Amino acid sequence: MSTSHSGASQPSQDRATPDSLLHARTGTDVSPEDLVLASGKDLTPRNLEWAQRKLDQEGPAALDKLLP
């Protein structure tokens, strides 16, 4: 007896995931720590200052630019 189900629904391999499902931000405030970690940098005072400047200039969109 076969264990595969021919009628089972499986995700299509030829469809791309919509952008709205790719971003992880939940609508909450973005912290400098979030931005530093998303950029792959270490949490250092210098990197936190960089992140704060970036957030001041770009707002939460700064994080969206770093995420896929």
Side-chain angles (χ1 to χ4, degrees), residues 21-42:
L21 297 177
L22 292 175
H23 297 284
R25 193 160 52 95
T26 60
T28 59
D29 290 334
V30 177
S31 71
E33 290 86 357
D34 295 333
L35 196 60
V36 170
L37 293 174
S39 69
K41 299 177 181 179
D42 292 327

